[in-house]
Amino acid sequence: MVKTNKLNVFNDPIYGFIGTPNELIFSLISHPYFQRLRRISQMGLSYLVYPGAHHTRFHHALGSMHLMTKAIQVLKLKNVEITEEEEKGLLCAILLHDIGHGPFSHALEGFVAKEISHEQISLRFMMELNKEFEGQLDTAIAVFQGDYPKPFLNQLVSSQLDMDRLDYLKRDSFYSGVTEGNINSERLISMLNVVEGNLVVEEKAIYAVEKFLMARRFMYWQVYLHKTGLVAEQLLIRIMQRARLLLSQGEELNGSQPLLFFLKNNGTLSFNADVLKTFAELDDIDVLGALKSWQFHNDFVLSKLCKMLLDRRLLHVKVKKSPITPEKIKEKIDWIIKKHDLSVEEASNFVFQGEISNKAYSKDEAIQILKKNGKISDVLKESDQLSLKALAKTVTKYYSCYPKKAV
């Protein structure tokens, strides 16, 4: 383990100067596993919709840690007991909570290994780092897994009002320019408290909580599930699927060693320490480099999909309350089969449909409001905002993607 007395300050456009609270945090930020997050896009391919959305998971991790330091300060001032070890654990857990994201974040979730999520990969990274840092991440791992005996510590890292959400909504709103997502994180943090071991929000912040939940709904429909970003991510998934198929048929494809490793293994890997090290070498650059090379491949499907994404000449996409009829899908598939002499399977890369859903609030993990009389109540009961009740319902929409006639 490399020891250093250096501490660092990062100049963040959202919060100003963010310091490194201790040497362990500094060492974790300096580690190659964490530095990789500089090359992982926070919002996937959303920059094709919002040109400013080029920020990274590195930005977000530092911002979340900064908000955690503020939350710890607030709770300590309210006489909530947080030991030095617990404080260190909270900061490490939130700093590393997204370290397991793959290229373009959620866009290629499940591509590397079908049955392992980015949260599970984050945990693997934390366990490897814990060996390297001689057990200093024990508390962080317990908090990250939700196993720590003080529930409010787990809730600060993962809940409906955690530091992760408070940062990404404000940050993604800033970089995308979508002002509806700009929440008052300082107000929310200043009103946090703990009752019977659980995180609560004081009643004075009820309007800030309402705005937070509404902002989350707006950001999902307007940004995260934007139809253009959606079709771009679907094209990227189909590019990887096509590349994987061609490799399995003995075709030669250019690409970095880590990318080809995961493509050839078909997503059914045992995620051991060696695989984790290979994953740590994989980032957005590997994928973009491959796309730039594959656009000239002799396979029509792979080449066409890559050019569409690189040149932002995407498929036409419609989002409706009901799915498109099978007859219309068949009609569009038949057209592209005839135009480019493709098989049905090949044509389905250019004509497809699916569904998206959004639920801005879950009653199962309620945001608890601490009333002036000392009683605890669910925010839905305390809010006079009728639209807030609707946020607890899952809204499903259906999308269909198909070529513009020029394709």
Side-chain angles (χ1 to χ4, degrees):
M1 184 179 74
V2 178
K3 290 195 174 181
T4 176
N5 289 319
K6 288 183 181 177
L7 293 179
N8 211 344
V9 174
F10 298 91
N11 194 351
D12 183 72
I14 312 290
Y15 312 118
F17 291 114
I18 296 176
T20 47
N22 55 58
E23 286 188 24
L24 176 59
I25 292 290
F26 177 84
S27 298
L28 288 171
I29 292 172
S30 303
H31 197 284
Y33 287 171
F34 191 83
Q35 288 293 314
R36 168 184 163 273
L37 295 183
R38 291 182 185 269
R39 304 184 299 278
I40 302 290
S41 172
Q42 165 77 4
M43 290 173 62
L45 292 162
S46 291
Y47 63 82
L48 293 174
V49 185
Y50 302 101
H54 275 288
H55 56 305
T56 66
R57 289 280 155 185
F58 185 88
H59 292 113
H60 166 57
L62 290 180
S64 300
M65 183 196 70
H66 173 74
L67 293 183
M68 186 65 82
T69 62
K70 298 294 182 188
I72 291 167
Q73 288 169 6
V74 165
L75 293 176
K76 280 186 168 182
L77 283 171
K78 295 178 182 179
N79 297 317
V80 176
E81 186 189 7
I82 301 174
T83 67
E84 190 176 327
E85 174 60 30
E86 289 168 346
E87 183 173 340
K88 186 177 75 175
L90 277 172
L91 293 174
C92 291
I94 199 68
L95 182 74
L96 301 174
H97 78 281
D98 272 346
I99 200 171
H101 266 296
F104 293 102
S105 293
H106 295 285
L108 289 178
E109 183 92 11
F111 148 73
V112 168
K114 289 175 182 174
E115 295 179 1
I116 188 166
S117 66
H118 77 268
E119 290 94 349
Q120 290 169 310
I121 299 174
S122 291
L123 182 59
R124 303 287 173 90
F125 270 124
M126 290 171 76
M127 288 176 167
E128 284 299 309
L129 288 166
N130 198 31
K131 292 176 191 173
E132 194 172 327
F133 288 93
E134 299 170 353
Q136 291 188 72
L137 299 181
D138 284 346
T139 304
I141 289 170
V143 169
F144 180 77
Q145 291 182 289
D147 294 336
Y148 199 76
K150 291 183 178 179
F152 77 92
L153 297 183
N154 307 326
Q155 291 157 4
L156 283 167
V157 172
S158 180
S159 68
Q160 289 201 95
L161 199 62
D162 57 34
M163 299 307 107
D164 172 30
R165 292 187 185 189
L166 290 185
D167 180 78
Y168 78 63
L169 285 175
K170 196 173 183 72
R171 187 168 301 278
D172 296 350
S173 168
F174 175 86
Y175 280 97
S176 64
V178 178
T179 56
E180 288 87 349
N182 187 14
I183 60 168
N184 192 343
S185 55
E186 287 186 9
R187 173 67 171 167
L188 287 165
I189 289 172
S190 70
M191 291 292 109
L192 292 178
N193 212 325
V194 173
V195 175
E196 295 179 358
N198 287 296
L199 199 64
V200 298
V201 185
E202 292 166 12
E203 190 175 12
K204 286 182 286 186
I206 184 78
Y207 300 119
V209 175
E210 287 177 354
K211 185 176 187 300
F212 162 77
L213 291 173
M214 292 302 293
R216 191 162 183 267
R217 175 182 177 271
F218 282 130
M219 286 296 285
Y220 267 85
W221 286 127
Q222 208 168 329
V223 179
Y224 307 131
L225 297 175
H226 189 285
K227 64 178 187 176
T228 305
L230 179 71
V231 71
E233 292 188 357
Q234 287 297 318
L235 288 178
L236 183 58
I237 290 166
R238 279 158 176 76
I239 287 168
M240 292 301 149
Q241 289 171 341
R242 186 66 179 179
R244 190 167 262 165
L245 176 66
L246 293 174
L247 285 168
S248 72
Q249 294 173 348
E251 286 276 355
E252 287 291 321
L253 286 180
N254 292 327
S256 69
Q257 183 273 326
L259 180 62
L260 292 178
F261 172 81
F262 287 111
L263 284 171
K264 288 174 181 176
N265 279 284
N266 202 28
T268 54
L269 288 162
S270 171
F271 222 85
N272 57 33
D274 290 335
V275 172
L276 189 70
K277 283 180 182 176
T278 305
F279 180 83
E281 297 170 13
L282 187 67
D283 55 50
D284 292 10
I285 297 167
D286 298 86
V287 173
L288 285 173
L291 264 57
K292 289 183 73 177
S293 172
W294 296 346
Q295 67 178 318
F296 304 112
H297 196 274
N298 58 16
D299 179 75
F300 172 81
V301 174
L302 183 65
S303 170
K304 191 69 177 176
L305 290 172
C306 289
K307 284 176 182 173
M308 290 170 77
L309 202 52
L310 289 169
D311 299 336
R312 201 191 178 279
R313 294 180 178 175
L314 307 173
L315 296 172
H316 187 62
V317 56
K318 281 190 175 179
V319 178
K320 294 186 173 182
K321 290 182 179 178
S322 57
I324 192 171
T325 63
E327 290 78 19
K328 282 191 177 181
I329 287 286
K330 185 178 184 305
E331 178 188 318
K332 294 181 186 304
I333 286 180
D334 289 345
W335 177 81
I336 200 163
I337 286 172
K338 187 176 179 181
K339 182 174 174 65
H340 295 292
D341 191 25
L342 301 176
S343 66
V344 174
E345 186 183 1
E346 288 169 334
S348 65
N349 287 288
F350 301 96
V351 181
F352 50 86
Q353 61 181 330
E355 64 180 58
I356 48 176
S357 59
N358 182 17
K359 185 178 182 180
Y361 183 75
S362 173
K363 293 178 182 177
D364 298 333
E365 299 177 5
I367 295 175
Q368 302 287 3
I369 301 297
L370 174 61
K371 299 174 73 174
K372 289 175 185 175
N373 61 10
K375 291 184 178 179
I376 305 295
S377 180
D378 187 328
V379 67
L380 292 189
K381 290 181 181 177
E382 297 308 311
S383 173
D384 57 6
Q385 179 74 261
L386 291 174
S387 56
L388 211 61
K389 309 290 190 290
L391 298 186
K393 296 177 182 177
T394 301
V395 178
T396 301
K397 296 182 181 181
Y398 301 87
Y399 65 87
S400 53
C401 305
Y402 47 87
K404 297 166 185 173
K405 290 295 181 183
V407 170

